[in-house]
Amino acid sequence: MNLANITFQSIRFLLLPFALIYAVIIRFRNWMYDKKIIESVSFNIPMICVGNLSVGGTGKSPMIEYLIRLLHSEYQLAVLSRGYKRKTKGYILASETTGALEIGDEPMQFYSKFPQVSVAVGENRVEAVPQLLHDRPQTEVILLDDAFQHRTINPGFSILLTDVNNLYTNDFYLPTGDLRDEIRSSKRADIIIATKCKPGFTDEHRQKITRELKPLAHQQLFFSTIEYGIPQHILQKQQTYHLHKNLEVLLVTGIANIEPLKRYILDNTYTYERMSFGDHHIFTIDDLQEIKKRFEKISSNQKIILTTEKDAVRLMKFQTELENLPLYVLPIQHEILFGEEKKLKEAVVLFIKNFSRKKEALTTEN
């Protein structure tokens, strides 16, 4: 551990009193919901919540995309997100005229990749759901992005993600740790997925993590790894670039957890330089000029600029400036380990079908 990390950890430890206050507030809030002093709202449509207990990247956006790929051929899907760090307020339905500043980078990413899926944002999900259903009455299933800790809605089915390298069972409350909800909230999950498993993750590792997380009888535990695709040019998707061992990369990122990406770049290129921005950073023209300058300083003839899908949607506003720039986007998606993808799909589809049967039975009775 370097000096910067030691200093950072020391500062976090000094913030322990604030973490304890935060813990009391979170526990009291959950108690209010558990005792139904504050009611969660249910809607007459299947809802699948994807979330985590901690801040930082556990793979929520790729999991939403995974579910879209899993279900879009069978159901009319909609995605509802709060639109974190957007410059607008209230409910907005994504369209051809909306951008990342209006709806947020992750919702914009969903809409760009899956235009057949309805994508909406609204910080008040209770109000946003009826508006979404009014705008898209054909919707059969709603995916709630990053909604696990927000208990205003009872989703019916919850998928909880945890980074296998930073399990919520070994974490502590903000700001000393990364937890934004208490560990016992994990009991509300129907499925737990330990994400970002490294190559070579064995059944022995699987058993160790299972003992650590202790899933309940009603919960299914899955494991996933990050699968990287072939980089595509930010403007011309058909223009691809295969990474190789003679390649030098300028890596431009504004995401929370960069470690898996760094390992992948190191394993598949000669070397890289990194330009790091804050999570969900809104890029400016000055940022782009600095990126160009850093790239020009790399002496190799075999070089590219590489960024993530989330960062790409925030850079797309500079289309004219990007036309002649070798800026490529690295796609990622979840791969479910141990041959259990079919089992995961069966669990999700079973929830949707059971919900629909109950809905039909109630309609018949009335």
Side-chain angles (χ1 to χ4, degrees):
M1 184 179 291
N2 59 37
L3 181 60
N5 285 334
I6 292 173
T7 303
F8 179 68
Q9 294 300 331
S10 299
I11 292 172
R12 297 193 85 174
F13 180 76
L14 291 174
L15 295 172
L16 180 60
F18 297 99
L20 295 175
I21 294 170
Y22 181 79
V24 171
I25 294 170
I26 292 299
R27 290 182 178 183
F28 179 70
R29 172 182 168 274
N30 280 328
W31 178 84
M32 296 279 281
Y33 275 106
D34 293 340
K35 298 298 181 181
K36 302 192 183 303
I37 297 171
I38 303 177
E39 292 281 349
S40 297
V41 178
S42 297
F43 290 92
N44 198 24
I45 185 171
M47 290 186 175
I48 301 171
C49 162
V50 174
N52 55 16
L53 299 181
S54 62
V55 296
T58 54
K60 294 184 297 294
S61 296
M63 182 52 59
I64 290 288
E65 294 184 4
Y66 179 89
L67 292 172
I68 291 173
R69 294 187 184 96
L70 210 64
L71 301 171
H72 82 274
S73 63
E74 301 173 48
Y75 301 97
Q76 291 288 331
L77 300 178
V79 178
L80 179 59
S81 174
R82 60 175 171 159
Y84 183 62
K85 284 206 172 179
R86 60 186 171 123
K87 298 298 183 181
T88 57
K89 297 287 186 181
Y91 168 83
I92 298 176
L93 181 67
S95 68
E96 293 179 358
T97 61
T98 53
L101 288 177
E102 295 169 274
I103 63 173
D105 50 7
E106 289 149 340
M108 191 65 218
Q109 180 181 321
F110 302 148
Y111 180 75
S112 299
K113 295 178 74 172
F114 306 99
Q116 75 277 20
V117 173
S118 301
V119 177
V121 296
E123 58 271 23
N124 188 329
R125 289 183 174 91
V126 174
E127 294 180 358
V129 169
Q131 294 183 73
L132 173 57
L133 294 176
H134 176 268
D135 292 340
R136 293 291 187 268
Q138 72 275 19
T139 300
E140 297 175 296
V141 179
I142 296 178
L143 306 179
L144 298 174
D145 176 35
D146 192 17
F148 189 83
Q149 79 280 12
H150 300 292
R151 298 184 63 180
T152 53
I153 289 180
N154 177 15
F157 195 85
S158 293
I159 298 176
L160 177 63
L161 308 182
T162 182
D163 186 336
V164 75
N165 307 294
N166 185 29
L167 298 173
Y168 57 75
T169 50
N170 297 323
D171 209 341
F172 197 69
Y173 295 97
L174 289 166
T176 298
D178 293 322
L179 285 182
R180 56 179 173 174
D181 200 349
E182 55 184 325
I183 293 173
R184 70 182 183 93
S185 290
S186 63
K187 296 177 181 179
R188 301 198 312 270
D190 298 280
I191 284 175
I192 301 172
I193 303 180
T195 64
K196 301 188 178 181
C197 298
K198 296 177 183 178
F201 191 83
T202 65
D203 190 62
E204 184 179 348
H205 294 130
R206 177 189 191 182
Q207 297 303 323
K208 180 181 178 181
I209 299 299
T210 301
R211 289 192 296 270
E212 175 66 31
L213 293 177
K214 298 181 178 67
L216 302 176
H218 74 278
Q219 296 176 320
Q220 295 187 63
L221 175 61
F222 295 89
F223 296 81
S224 76
T225 188
I226 294 174
E227 186 177 90
Y228 292 97
I230 299 172
Q232 304 169 331
H233 190 270
I234 189 168
L235 299 181
Q236 307 296 330
K237 301 300 183 185
Q238 70 277 9
Q239 182 181 333
T240 60
Y241 195 105
H242 291 263
L243 303 184
H244 56 81
K245 280 296 186 178
N246 295 319
L247 181 67
E248 293 193 30
V249 169
L250 176 60
L251 182 60
V252 178
T253 61
I255 59 174
N257 186 354
I258 195 68
E259 292 306 315
L261 178 56
K262 284 167 58 178
R263 288 196 300 268
Y264 181 77
I265 300 301
L266 282 172
D267 289 343
N268 290 276
T269 66
Y270 175 67
T271 188
Y272 78 94
E273 293 183 25
R274 181 186 170 199
M275 289 188 69
S276 178
F277 297 87
D279 194 20
H280 297 275
H281 177 73
I282 304 299
F283 290 96
T284 66
I285 190 65
D286 290 336
D287 293 330
L288 186 59
Q289 293 304 323
E290 187 60 31
I291 290 169
K292 289 181 179 180
K293 288 179 184 178
R294 285 283 295 273
F295 182 66
E296 289 168 0
K297 288 181 180 179
I298 299 176
S299 59
S300 173
N301 293 324
Q302 300 188 62
K303 59 181 182 177
I304 64 169
I305 306 170
L306 199 62
T307 193
T308 69
E309 292 179 296
K310 286 185 183 180
D311 294 305
V313 297
R314 285 179 266 119
L315 286 162
M316 282 293 292
K317 59 187 176 183
F318 304 115
Q319 292 204 21
T320 303
E321 292 83 358
L322 295 174
E323 284 181 357
N324 299 315
L325 198 64
L327 174 55
Y328 289 82
V329 183
L330 184 64
I332 66 169
Q333 63 182 46
H334 283 279
E335 179 186 350
I336 303 301
L337 299 178
F338 305 110
E340 293 191 321
E341 180 170 315
K342 182 180 178 182
K343 183 180 177 183
L344 174 57
K345 181 177 181 179
E346 287 174 348
V348 174
V349 170
L350 181 62
F351 157 71
I352 297 171
K353 289 182 175 178
N354 285 343
F355 190 100
S356 300
R357 290 191 192 104
K358 291 177 183 177
K359 182 178 178 180
E360 289 173 4
L362 288 172
T363 303
T364 303
E365 289 177 6
N366 295 330

